[in-house]
Amino acid sequence: VQVVESGGGSVQAGGSLRLSCKASGRTYSSYCMGWFRQAPGKERERVATIDMDNDTTYADSVKGRFTVSQDSAKNTLYLQMNSLKPEDTAMYYCAAGLYYYDCSKAEYDYWGQGTQVTVSS
């Protein structure tokens, strides 16, 4: 499975961005997919996850501002980010893994190269 992110960029606080993640190669009918981020000097953190039934989880820091979705026909995952804050600045990664009942606790074996999101105040 290969995943490739796109859609990052620079935006002012309060703005919006939409990230995309295209999956290719071997796919699974039961899966978890997620968005993670890592800021300089900080540990990687989970942002949002979604499974094949469109059940989602979100980090508390992004609830109400970010929305994860997918287009299964296109094998594409999205992350709509609204009301962006400077603290959202990070490299954002897409990842895929086999299904687990709680995708926030799943193991993710396939990772993209990341796309940079920079939010200025």
Side-chain angles (χ1 to χ4, degrees):
V1 177
Q2 294 81 42
V3 292
V4 178
E5 307 94 337
S6 62
S10 297
V11 65
Q12 288 193 328
S16 298
L17 283 174
R18 189 176 82 154
L19 305 183
S20 298
C21 171
K22 174 73 173 177
S24 61
R26 183 176 182 178
T27 57
Y28 298 88
S29 58
S30 298
Y31 58 83
C32 287
M33 292 198 72
W35 289 100
F36 297 77
R37 66 186 181 187
Q38 187 167 21
K42 294 187 177 181
E43 292 188 355
R44 186 175 65 199
E45 65 172 337
R46 173 186 56 84
V47 176
T49 69
I50 190 168
D51 69 13
M52 64 284 181
D53 294 326
N54 287 318
D55 289 330
T56 59
T57 72
Y58 294 94
D60 288 343
S61 58
V62 306
K63 280 181 181 177
R65 301 188 299 121
F66 290 12
T67 302
V68 61
S69 63
Q70 62 186 334
D71 184 334
S72 298
K74 297 181 179 179
N75 288 333
T76 301
L77 180 73
Y78 302 100
L79 184 68
Q80 178 66 45
M81 305 185 294
N82 298 330
S83 302
L84 282 161
K85 304 175 181 179
E87 51 263 44
D88 294 319
T89 295
M91 185 71 78
Y92 283 71
Y93 298 91
C94 172
L98 290 177
Y99 175 72
Y100 188 65
Y101 76 96
D102 182 348
C103 285
S104 69
K105 297 179 173 63
E107 288 190 9
Y108 291 85
D109 298 316
Y110 307 99
W111 293 81
Q113 294 298 309
T115 186
Q116 179 68 38
V117 171
T118 302
V119 185
S120 58
S121 57

